[in-house]
């Protein structure tokens, strides 16, 4: 009993010390408590914000994980996702309202929570919402939650705010750092949506009828396609579902994906039409469809069965619609797309289960999708070589009908036999050593697609790799046929006695595929 009484006295002292900053910034910075529950309680009391609403906003954004101060895709920080991007600056507003340093607001969970409460209160004041004496009436705070989300369209704004109110209705129970559990008791909610009550979040996708349609900003994707769709790329949002949809509507983001899938129930929203080119995977944009999954790569709890099943149904539909093979060479992770530096979906994504749900071939779990194929130069490889370029060699040999065995980065007898067989088939010297000619033939293998200035897609990337090997100089692999690629083509054609027109047709492809 004595310990409880002392704890109560200490908490009272903390609450008494936390006075909200006014619009003029005249008051001192509030004191930041320790402990997550104490932080929510004090922040709510300090800024007259409903405590459960504050928790629901944070849980909807991050599941109350601060990610060690690292930013989300939309540059949001901490458990409350205080944002610092060109069009939404809740982090700066939190600093202004609390007087706390930006670094502390990013990295300290209690400070982050306090900053979010200050932002919510500032929005309430700016909107002129009469919330006096309603600090426990969550229904009065709907428009304020909308402002916190920063969405640029009514549909995305309602998705964001409704997600918070769904959590209030269902309740929250979250284990957080320090061994605490943060709880929100379920309650009936009747939010006043105002003008957003008429926002159409029920519009369905024309490409995939089970999906909602909330379009990305036109500055974040390219209309139309320059290549046939033959790949599905699996992503993880590094942020929340509604927040990611909102980010794709922000013209400053310069990113998008075709679909976004919610963790809790597998809800799907389409943001870019299948026939348009979303900006999600660099070299694979032209020929792929990108599917974002709500969550973070290092937190497996986001990858729910509902999400897996919903995503697999979508991928199976896309495969049937566009003739995409159901294998791990055509259903790939973002990390497996050449020329990308991302790690998603990461080691916690269950590829075997996903491919089983899709109804495809999971492949050897030791052989994920396409390994790295893009290198500034291609080394001479022989028996005993090892490393990333051997992975690329083995993958390409297997793709070209030669059995190099498991892609394990070790140049052993099976790989050597496959090299010799490939060299014989191409009329090259069958010495089992992979030099310029063998690399050029392997890297260029495939359809002889006509290419020229302005062409994009995987065929251009294939050309750029082959020219890097053939010319012995680095040609940037970005899937874009620009002036530098055009010059490399001309140089190659001139040096091989071909018509030096800078256009890549059957004559140039045939020379490359012969290892010339």
């Amino acid at each position: 009993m004595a310990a409880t009484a002392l704890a109560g006295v200490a908490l009272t002292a903390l609450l008494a010390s936390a006075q909200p900053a006014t619009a003029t910034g005249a008051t001192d910075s509030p004191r930041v408590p320790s402990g997550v529950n104490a932080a929510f309680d004090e922040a709510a009391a300090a800024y007259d914000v409903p405590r459960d609403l504050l928790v629901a906003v944070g849980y909807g954004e991050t599941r109350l994980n601060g990610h060690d101060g690292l930013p989300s895709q939309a540059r949001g920080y901490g458990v409350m996702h205080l944002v610092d991007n060109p069009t939404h600056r809740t982090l700066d507003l939190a600093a202004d309202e609390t007087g706390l340093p930006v670094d502390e607001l990013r990295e300290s969970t209690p400070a982050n929570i306090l900053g979010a409460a200050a932002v919510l209160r500032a929005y309430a004041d700016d909107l002129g919402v009469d919330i006096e004496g309603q600090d426990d009436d969550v229904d009065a705070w709907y428009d304020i939650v909308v402002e916190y989300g920063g969405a640029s369209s009514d549909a995305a704004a309602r998705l964001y705010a409704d997600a918070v109110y769904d959590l209030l209705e269902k309740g929250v129970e979250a284990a957080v750092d320090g061994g605490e559990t943060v709880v929100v008791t379920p309650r009936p909610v009747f939010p006043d949506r105002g003008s957003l009550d008429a926002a159409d979040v029920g519009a369905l996708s024309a490409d995939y009828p089970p999906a909602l349609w909330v379009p990305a900003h036109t500055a974040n994707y390219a209309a139309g396609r320059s290549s046939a769709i033959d790949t599905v790329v699996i992503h993880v949002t590094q942020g929340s579902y509604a927040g990611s949809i909102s980010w794709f509507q922000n013209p400053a983001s310069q990113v998008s994906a075709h679909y976004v899938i919610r963790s809790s129930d597998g809800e799907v929203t389409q943001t870019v039409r299948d026939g348009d080119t979303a900006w999600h995977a660099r070299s694979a944009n032209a020929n792929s469809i990108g599917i974002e999954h709500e969550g973070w790569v290092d937190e497996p709890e986001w990858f729910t069965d509902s999400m897996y099943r919903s995503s697999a149904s979508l991928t199976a539909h896309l495969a049937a619609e566009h003739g995409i093979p159901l294998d791990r060479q055509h259903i790939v992770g973002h990390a497996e797309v050449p020329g990308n530096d991302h790690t998603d979906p990461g080691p916690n994504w269950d590829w075997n289960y996903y491919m089983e749900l899709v109804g495809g071939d999971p492949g050897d779990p030791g052989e994920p999708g396409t390994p790295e194929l893009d290198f500034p130069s291609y080394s001479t490889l022989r028996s005993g070589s090892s490393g990333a370029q051997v992975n690329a060699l083995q993958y390409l040999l297997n793709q070209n009908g030669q059995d190099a065995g498991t892609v394990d980065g070790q140049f052993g007898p099976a790989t050597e036999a496959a090299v010799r067989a490939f060299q014989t088939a191409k009329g090259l010297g069958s010495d089992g050593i992979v030099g310029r000619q063998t690399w050029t033939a392997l890297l260029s293998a495939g359809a002889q697609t006509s290419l020229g200035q302005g062409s994009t897609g995987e065929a251009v990337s294939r050309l750029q790799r082959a020219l890097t090997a053939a010319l012995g100089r680095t040609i940037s692999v970005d899937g874009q046929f620009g002036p530098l690629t055009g010059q490399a083509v001309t140089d190659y054609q001139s040096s091989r006695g071909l018509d030096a027109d800078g256009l890549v047709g059957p004559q140039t492809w045939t020379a490359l595929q012969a290892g010339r």
Side-chain angles (χ1 to χ4, degrees):
M1 288 293 291
T4 303
L6 287 172
V9 170
L11 180 57
T12 301
L14 279 171
L15 295 177
S17 71
Q19 299 298 320
T22 65
T24 62
T27 60
D28 294 332
S29 299
R31 185 174 175 182
V32 179
S34 61
V36 178
N37 277 301
F40 277 117
D41 292 341
E42 181 168 338
Y47 290 97
D48 293 326
V49 175
R51 179 264 184 193
D52 286 359
L53 181 91
L54 192 59
V55 173
V57 168
Y59 188 84
E61 290 279 15
T62 68
R63 296 209 176 158
L64 306 186
N65 188 320
H67 305 106
D68 298 321
L70 296 174
S72 71
Q73 178 178 227
R75 291 193 58 79
Y77 294 87
V79 298
M80 301 303 298
H81 200 250
L82 293 175
V83 176
D84 178 23
N85 69 49
T87 61
H88 197 45
R89 297 190 176 278
T90 52
L91 181 63
D92 287 344
L93 180 56
D96 291 343
E97 293 294 318
T98 64
L100 294 171
V102 166
D103 286 349
E104 186 173 0
L105 288 163
R106 280 197 300 248
E107 297 167 11
S108 163
T109 291
N112 193 263
I113 293 168
L114 201 64
V119 169
L120 287 165
R121 182 68 200 201
Y123 284 148
D125 293 342
D126 289 346
L127 290 169
V129 179
D130 183 12
I131 54 173
E132 198 63 39
Q134 299 187 66
D135 57 325
D136 198 38
D137 179 9
V138 297
D139 292 337
W141 288 75
Y142 190 89
D143 285 347
I144 302 160
V145 172
V146 166
E147 288 295 313
Y148 191 93
S152 59
S153 77
D154 286 353
R158 181 164 169 180
L159 271 176
Y160 180 89
D162 281 359
V164 172
Y165 280 80
D166 285 346
L167 289 168
L168 289 165
E169 188 169 49
K170 295 173 182 176
V172 171
E173 185 173 339
V176 296
D177 289 346
E180 296 180 83
T181 299
V182 177
V183 175
V184 170
T185 302
R187 71 179 71 194
V189 293
F190 304 97
D192 180 5
R193 294 189 178 92
S195 62
L196 289 186
D197 208 33
D200 189 2
V201 295
L204 298 180
S205 156
D207 290 323
Y208 184 58
L212 302 176
W213 170 244
V214 181
H217 194 282
T218 54
N220 295 332
Y221 66 91
R225 289 271 186 181
S226 60
S227 298
I229 298 167
D230 62 10
T231 302
V232 173
V233 181
I234 303 298
H235 300 264
V236 176
T237 59
Q238 297 296 97
S240 70
Y241 171 70
S244 297
I245 294 167
S246 177
W247 184 231
F248 295 159
Q249 293 190 320
N250 186 329
S253 74
Q254 295 291 283
V255 294
S256 60
H258 294 89
Y259 297 91
V260 188
I261 299 182
R262 188 159 64 187
S263 169
S264 60
D265 58 3
E267 181 178 89
V268 183
T269 293
Q270 184 176 18
T271 64
V272 177
R273 291 293 305 271
D274 290 2
D276 292 329
T277 305
W279 296 342
H280 63 102
R282 294 187 185 176
S283 63
N285 287 340
N287 62 302
S288 69
I289 288 178
I291 306 177
E292 289 277 6
H293 297 79
E294 181 185 29
W296 276 260
V297 295
D298 58 344
E299 297 173 30
E301 61 269 23
W302 288 91
F303 302 148
T304 63
D305 194 62
S306 295
M307 173 182 278
Y308 276 121
R309 290 181 179 278
S310 176
S311 178
S313 294
L314 170 59
T315 294
H317 164 83
L318 294 171
E321 189 74 13
H322 301 289
I324 302 170
L326 292 174
D327 59 41
R328 285 285 282 113
Q329 281 69 53
H330 297 87
I331 302 172
V332 301
H334 192 181
E336 297 163 351
V337 175
N340 284 272
D341 57 1
H342 290 245
T343 62
D344 55 319
N348 294 309
W349 182 262
D350 190 337
W351 277 111
N352 284 344
Y353 182 49
Y354 187 70
M355 294 303 294
E356 178 185 332
L357 291 173
V358 168
D361 178 10
D364 185 335
E367 294 185 37
T370 311
E372 181 61 59
L373 300 177
D374 306 344
F375 299 95
S377 63
Y378 291 87
S379 303
T380 299
L381 303 178
R382 54 174 50 84
S383 181
S385 297
S386 62
Q389 292 201 14
V390 177
N391 278 331
L393 169 66
Q394 292 168 326
Y395 171 80
L396 291 168
L397 288 166
N398 288 336
Q399 289 292 102
N400 283 277
Q402 309 301 331
D403 185 7
T406 301
V407 178
D408 59 4
Q410 303 298 319
F411 196 130
T415 301
E416 182 175 349
V419 169
R420 290 181 183 276
F422 178 80
Q423 291 171 327
T424 298
K426 294 296 180 181
L428 303 173
S430 180
D431 58 5
I433 298 173
V434 182
R436 179 188 61 78
Q437 289 183 304
T438 304
W439 271 124
T440 301
L442 269 172
L443 291 163
S444 61
Q448 294 189 350
T449 307
S450 295
L451 303 174
Q453 289 289 331
S455 297
T456 61
E458 178 54 29
V460 178
S461 297
R462 182 159 48 92
L463 169 68
Q464 291 166 330
R465 295 182 200 109
L467 289 171
T468 295
L471 295 174
R473 73 174 195 253
T474 303
I475 312 300
S476 178
V477 181
D478 60 5
Q480 308 291 321
F481 197 124
L484 294 178
T485 299
Q487 185 61 56
V489 170
T490 301
D491 291 347
Y492 175 79
Q493 291 169 329
S494 297
S495 64
R496 270 61 175 181
L498 307 175
D499 292 336
D501 57 6
L503 301 175
V504 181
Q507 185 183 45
T508 302
W509 279 120
T510 298
L512 287 167
Q513 291 172 356
R516 287 179 58 188

